[in-house]
PDB file of all heavy atoms in Angstrom:
ATOM      1  N   ASP A  87      -1.793  17.670  20.654  1.00  0.00           N
ATOM      2  CA  ASP A  87      -1.782  18.216  22.025  1.00  0.00           C
ATOM      3  C   ASP A  87      -2.101  17.050  22.963  1.00  0.00           C
ATOM      4  O   ASP A  87      -3.104  17.020  23.651  1.00  0.00           O
ATOM      5  CB  ASP A  87      -2.765  19.383  22.204  1.00  0.00           C
ATOM      6  CG  ASP A  87      -4.225  19.004  21.978  1.00  0.00           C
ATOM      7  OD1 ASP A  87      -4.504  18.063  21.199  1.00  0.00           O
ATOM      8  OD2 ASP A  87      -5.095  19.643  22.601  1.00  0.00           O
ATOM      9  N   ASP A  91      -7.108  11.088  23.301  1.00  0.00           N
ATOM     10  CA  ASP A  91      -7.471  10.698  21.931  1.00  0.00           C
ATOM     11  C   ASP A  91      -6.344  10.998  20.951  1.00  0.00           C
ATOM     12  O   ASP A  91      -6.219  10.335  19.916  1.00  0.00           O
ATOM     13  CB  ASP A  91      -8.816  11.297  21.498  1.00  0.00           C
ATOM     14  CG  ASP A  91      -8.820  12.799  21.431  1.00  0.00           C
ATOM     15  OD1 ASP A  91      -8.208  13.435  22.302  1.00  0.00           O
ATOM     16  OD2 ASP A  91      -9.414  13.355  20.493  1.00  0.00           O
ATOM     17  N   ASP A  92      -5.483  11.952  21.302  1.00  0.00           N
ATOM     18  CA  ASP A  92      -4.271  12.177  20.497  1.00  0.00           C
ATOM     19  C   ASP A  92      -3.372  10.941  20.574  1.00  0.00           C
ATOM     20  O   ASP A  92      -2.836  10.473  19.567  1.00  0.00           O
ATOM     21  CB  ASP A  92      -3.469  13.366  21.034  1.00  0.00           C
ATOM     22  CG  ASP A  92      -4.255  14.656  21.099  1.00  0.00           C
ATOM     23  OD1 ASP A  92      -5.166  14.749  21.945  1.00  0.00           O
ATOM     24  OD2 ASP A  92      -3.978  15.558  20.307  1.00  0.00           O
ATOM     25  N   ASN A 116      -4.837  20.520  25.181  1.00  0.00           N
ATOM     26  CA  ASN A 116      -5.394  19.738  26.304  1.00  0.00           C
ATOM     27  C   ASN A 116      -4.655  20.046  27.607  1.00  0.00           C
ATOM     28  O   ASN A 116      -5.248  20.059  28.671  1.00  0.00           O
ATOM     29  CB  ASN A 116      -5.284  18.244  26.002  1.00  0.00           C
ATOM     30  CG  ASN A 116      -6.300  17.804  24.970  1.00  0.00           C
ATOM     31  OD1 ASN A 116      -7.448  18.248  24.990  1.00  0.00           O
ATOM     32  ND2 ASN A 116      -5.880  16.969  24.035  1.00  0.00           N
ATOM     33  N   HIS A 161      -9.142  14.882  30.142  1.00  0.00           N
ATOM     34  CA  HIS A 161      -7.879  14.138  29.981  1.00  0.00           C
ATOM     35  C   HIS A 161      -7.114  13.980  31.298  1.00  0.00           C
ATOM     36  O   HIS A 161      -6.045  13.365  31.322  1.00  0.00           O
ATOM     37  CB  HIS A 161      -6.988  14.840  28.954  1.00  0.00           C
ATOM     38  CG  HIS A 161      -7.635  14.956  27.595  1.00  0.00           C
ATOM     39  ND1 HIS A 161      -7.508  13.999  26.606  1.00  0.00           N
ATOM     40  CD2 HIS A 161      -8.447  15.910  27.076  1.00  0.00           C
ATOM     41  CE1 HIS A 161      -8.201  14.363  25.542  1.00  0.00           C
ATOM     42  NE2 HIS A 161      -8.795  15.513  25.801  1.00  0.00           N
ATOM     43  N   VAL A 205      -4.245  17.986  15.231  1.00  0.00           N
ATOM     44  CA  VAL A 205      -5.356  17.475  16.046  1.00  0.00           C
ATOM     45  C   VAL A 205      -5.407  18.199  17.396  1.00  0.00           C
ATOM     46  O   VAL A 205      -5.868  17.653  18.409  1.00  0.00           O
ATOM     47  CB  VAL A 205      -5.278  15.947  16.235  1.00  0.00           C
ATOM     48  CG1 VAL A 205      -5.521  15.218  14.915  1.00  0.00           C
ATOM     49  CG2 VAL A 205      -3.935  15.540  16.829  1.00  0.00           C
ATOM     50  N   MET A 231      -8.500  17.944  12.828  1.00  0.00           N
ATOM     51  CA  MET A 231      -9.633  17.654  13.736  1.00  0.00           C
ATOM     52  C   MET A 231     -10.003  18.991  14.346  1.00  0.00           C
ATOM     53  O   MET A 231      -9.188  19.632  15.007  1.00  0.00           O
ATOM     54  CB  MET A 231      -9.260  16.672  14.852  1.00  0.00           C
ATOM     55  CG  MET A 231     -10.494  16.159  15.600  1.00  0.00           C
ATOM     56  SD  MET A 231     -11.122  17.342  16.837  1.00  0.00           S
ATOM     57  CE  MET A 231     -12.901  17.247  16.515  1.00  0.00           C
ATOM     58  N   ASN A 239     -18.234  21.973  21.931  1.00  0.00           N
ATOM     59  CA  ASN A 239     -17.899  21.251  23.176  1.00  0.00           C
ATOM     60  C   ASN A 239     -17.077  22.120  24.123  1.00  0.00           C
ATOM     61  O   ASN A 239     -16.932  21.813  25.291  1.00  0.00           O
ATOM     62  CB  ASN A 239     -17.178  19.921  22.885  1.00  0.00           C
ATOM     63  CG  ASN A 239     -15.876  20.125  22.119  1.00  0.00           C
ATOM     64  OD1 ASN A 239     -15.526  21.257  21.758  1.00  0.00           O
ATOM     65  ND2 ASN A 239     -15.163  19.049  21.859  1.00  0.00           N
ATOM     66  N   GLU A 245     -15.868  24.436  19.025  1.00  0.00           N
ATOM     67  CA  GLU A 245     -15.155  23.180  19.319  1.00  0.00           C
ATOM     68  C   GLU A 245     -13.810  23.525  19.943  1.00  0.00           C
ATOM     69  O   GLU A 245     -13.193  24.544  19.612  1.00  0.00           O
ATOM     70  CB  GLU A 245     -14.974  22.423  17.985  1.00  0.00           C
ATOM     71  CG  GLU A 245     -14.240  21.104  18.095  1.00  0.00           C
ATOM     72  CD  GLU A 245     -12.728  21.307  18.112  1.00  0.00           C
ATOM     73  OE1 GLU A 245     -12.255  22.254  17.467  1.00  0.00           O
ATOM     74  OE2 GLU A 245     -12.033  20.559  18.804  1.00  0.00           O
ATOM     75  N   ALA A 246     -13.276  22.652  20.810  1.00  0.00           N
ATOM     76  CA  ALA A 246     -12.119  22.956  21.658  1.00  0.00           C
ATOM     77  C   ALA A 246     -10.876  23.382  20.881  1.00  0.00           C
ATOM     78  O   ALA A 246     -10.253  24.404  21.194  1.00  0.00           O
ATOM     79  CB  ALA A 246     -11.806  21.744  22.528  1.00  0.00           C
ATOM     80  N   ASN A 247     -10.474  22.631  19.851  1.00  0.00           N
ATOM     81  CA  ASN A 247      -9.218  22.967  19.166  1.00  0.00           C
ATOM     82  C   ASN A 247      -9.273  24.355  18.556  1.00  0.00           C
ATOM     83  O   ASN A 247      -8.282  25.075  18.511  1.00  0.00           O
ATOM     84  CB  ASN A 247      -8.915  21.941  18.074  1.00  0.00           C
ATOM     85  CG  ASN A 247      -8.481  20.607  18.648  1.00  0.00           C
ATOM     86  OD1 ASN A 247      -8.061  20.531  19.810  1.00  0.00           O
ATOM     87  ND2 ASN A 247      -8.609  19.548  17.865  1.00  0.00           N
ATOM     88  N   LEU A 270     -16.930  17.893  14.788  1.00  0.00           N
ATOM     89  CA  LEU A 270     -17.686  17.167  15.819  1.00  0.00           C
ATOM     90  C   LEU A 270     -18.926  16.479  15.265  1.00  0.00           C
ATOM     91  O   LEU A 270     -19.335  15.431  15.767  1.00  0.00           O
ATOM     92  CB  LEU A 270     -18.102  18.140  16.937  1.00  0.00           C
ATOM     93  CG  LEU A 270     -16.997  18.731  17.802  1.00  0.00           C
ATOM     94  CD1 LEU A 270     -17.596  19.679  18.831  1.00  0.00           C
ATOM     95  CD2 LEU A 270     -16.182  17.636  18.498  1.00  0.00           C
ATOM     96  N   HIS A 319     -12.065  11.454  18.438  1.00  0.00           N
ATOM     97  CA  HIS A 319     -12.005  12.645  17.575  1.00  0.00           C
ATOM     98  C   HIS A 319     -10.777  12.634  16.670  1.00  0.00           C
ATOM     99  O   HIS A 319     -10.869  12.723  15.459  1.00  0.00           O
ATOM    100  CB  HIS A 319     -11.928  13.913  18.437  1.00  0.00           C
ATOM    101  CG  HIS A 319     -13.105  14.156  19.315  1.00  0.00           C
ATOM    102  ND1 HIS A 319     -14.366  14.466  18.858  1.00  0.00           N
ATOM    103  CD2 HIS A 319     -13.200  14.150  20.668  1.00  0.00           C
ATOM    104  CE1 HIS A 319     -15.186  14.645  19.880  1.00  0.00           C
ATOM    105  NE2 HIS A 319     -14.509  14.458  20.984  1.00  0.00           N
ATOM    106  N   ASP A 320      -9.590  12.575  17.285  1.00  0.00           N
ATOM    107  CA  ASP A 320      -8.351  12.799  16.524  1.00  0.00           C
ATOM    108  C   ASP A 320      -8.090  11.691  15.512  1.00  0.00           C
ATOM    109  O   ASP A 320      -7.592  11.958  14.408  1.00  0.00           O
ATOM    110  CB  ASP A 320      -7.168  12.940  17.488  1.00  0.00           C
ATOM    111  CG  ASP A 320      -7.281  14.210  18.322  1.00  0.00           C
ATOM    112  OD1 ASP A 320      -8.056  15.108  17.932  1.00  0.00           O
ATOM    113  OD2 ASP A 320      -6.606  14.306  19.364  1.00  0.00           O
TER     114      ASP A 320
HETATM  115  O1  LIG B  82     -12.714  18.801  20.486  1.00  0.00           O
HETATM  116  C1  LIG B  82     -11.926  17.642  20.492  1.00  0.00           C
HETATM  117  C2  LIG B  82     -10.477  17.985  20.396  1.00  0.00           C
HETATM  118  O2  LIG B  82     -10.073  18.687  21.570  1.00  0.00           O
HETATM  119  C3  LIG B  82      -9.561  16.742  20.326  1.00  0.00           C
HETATM  120  O3  LIG B  82      -8.442  17.051  19.539  1.00  0.00           O
HETATM  121  C4  LIG B  82      -9.135  16.536  21.758  1.00  0.00           C
HETATM  122  O4  LIG B  82      -7.847  15.911  21.860  1.00  0.00           O
HETATM  123  C5  LIG B  82      -9.046  17.952  22.237  1.00  0.00           C
HETATM  124  O5  LIG B  82      -7.793  18.444  21.850  1.00  0.00           O
END
Side-chain angles (χ1 to χ4, degrees):
D87 62 332
D91 64 321
D92 303 70
N116 286 320
H161 301 270
V205 292
M231 192 280 136
N239 60 357
E245 179 278 328
N247 288 341
L270 293 179
H319 297 293
D320 293 343

